[in-house]
């Protein structure tokens, strides 16, 4: 396919402007067997994340006597895309995304509290449309919070990239394929620390600074969606409670 024009008169192919996120909807605990779980719809991405543990790390040689080990498995369901490049399941890309996701949560989980234990984070992509690692991290964060595992912050992630010389937030798959750069970033919103930064393509130092600012600004919306999802079950309960008295 010939490269489409990604931005015309300031509008992207799906009508967004450069700073606009796709719609984000999150719900908690769809997986009843898990310690905590979450489901996210982020644009056309549909992802479920489930967290198990803390529990004794097995096999035993994986244990750390000082802190919990974090295990993470990101996978794309075989039906999640009609993609021509690559196959679903555990391939090099899935191994890479599992690793960077694990590292994001190693940085925030209070691991010292659970020596000898493991915490397993699963991210399963049911439908994909670009930005699944970012949406997966955002979703896994909510699953961890729902599980009650203590964290010093609740990370979110989103990509920023460059198309037709303009920085664009939250690239979908067509933009991801045809943009000149893509930079997924995870932020710890409380401290505004950068927890993950990857880059594919070319950006100037100024682009990187402005991109990070766009991601931090977008955090207001993403963090709000995460918090609202966590509060929703309790608000429902309190409404039911109020109706009953
Ligand atoms: O999803 P993310 O942007 O984090 O990772 P990517 O490797 O940049 O992939 C971009 C998009 O390509 C994914 O979101 C999928 O929509 C698609 N893709 C796919 O359909 N099948 C693959 N094996 C790899 C990527």
């Amino acid at each position: 396919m010939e490269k489409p024009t990604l931005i015309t008169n300031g509008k992207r192919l799906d009508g967004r402007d450069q700073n606009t996120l796709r719609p984000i909807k999150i719900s908690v605990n769809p997986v009843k067997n898990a310690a905590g779980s979450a489901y996210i719809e982020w644009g056309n991405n549909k992802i479920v994340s489930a967290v198990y543990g803390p529990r004794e790390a097995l096999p035993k040689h994986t244990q750390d006597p000082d802190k919990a080990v974090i295990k993470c498995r990101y996978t794309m369901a075989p039906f999640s895309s009609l993609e021509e490049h690559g196959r679903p399941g555990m391939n090099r890309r899935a191994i890479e995304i599992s690793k960077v996701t694990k590292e994001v949560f190693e940085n925030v989980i209070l691991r010292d509290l659970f020596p000898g234990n493991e915490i397993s984070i699963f991210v399963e992509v049911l439908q994909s449309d670009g930005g699944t690692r970012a949406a997966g991290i955002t979703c896994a964060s909510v699953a961890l919070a729902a599980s009650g595992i203590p964290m010093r912050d609740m990370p979110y992630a989103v990509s920023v990239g460059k198309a037709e010389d303009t920085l664009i937030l939250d690239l979908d798959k067509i933009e991801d394929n045809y943009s000149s750069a893509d930079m997924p970033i995870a932020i710890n919103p409380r401290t505004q620390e950068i927890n993950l930064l990857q880059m594919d393509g070319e950006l100037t130092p100024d682009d990187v600074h402005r991109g990070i600012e766009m991601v931090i600004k977008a955090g207001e919306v993403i963090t709000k969606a995460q918090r609202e999802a966590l509060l929703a079950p309790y608000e429902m309960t309190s409404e039911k409670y109020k109706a009953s008295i």
Side-chain angles (χ1 to χ4, degrees), residues 29 72 97 109:
N29 287 335
C72 180
I97 297 178
I109 293 173

Side-chain angles (χ1 to χ4, degrees), residues 22 45 47 74 76-77 80-89 91 93-94 96-97 125 127-136 159 171-174 176-177 182 184 198 200:
R22 289 172 285 180
N45 292 313
I47 301 173
Y74 162 103
M76 289 178 76
S80 63
S81 80
L82 296 172
E83 182 56 33
E84 63 297 336
H85 71 267
R87 60 200 156 81
N91 47 32
R93 173 180 171 276
E96 176 217 323
I97 297 178
V125 179
Q127 186 170 290
S128 71
D129 187 29
T132 59
R133 82 192 62 204
S159 253
L171 288 71
D172 64 20
K173 182 164 158 13
I174 293 186
D176 184 286
N177 283 6
D182 174 25
Q198 296 187 277
D200 184 11

Side-chain angles (χ1 to χ4, degrees), residues 127-148:
Q127 186 170 290
S128 71
D129 187 29
T132 59
R133 82 192 62 204
I137 289 168
T138 304
C139 184
S141 237
V142 176
L144 276 156
S147 77

Side-chain angles (χ1 to χ4, degrees), residues 17-89:
D17 67 23
Q18 70 174 130
N19 280 304
T20 311
L21 289 163
R22 289 172 285 180
I24 300 174
K25 259 188 0 207
I26 310 175
S27 54
V28 291
N29 287 335
V31 181
K32 297 301 171 206
N33 289 338
S37 60
Y39 171 65
I40 193 165
E41 290 184 1
W42 182 320
N44 290 323
N45 292 313
K46 295 186 178 179
I47 301 173
V48 61
S49 174
V51 170
Y52 292 80
R55 58 188 176 187
E56 185 188 11
L58 289 175
K60 267 203 154 71
H61 69 83
T62 64
Q63 290 184 2
D64 182 330
D66 296 323
K67 52 187 182 298
V69 290
I70 310 300
K71 296 179 180 174
C72 180
R73 200 188 80 144
Y74 162 103
T75 34
M76 289 178 76
F79 51 81
S80 63
S81 80
L82 296 172
E83 182 56 33
E84 63 297 336
H85 71 267
R87 60 200 156 81

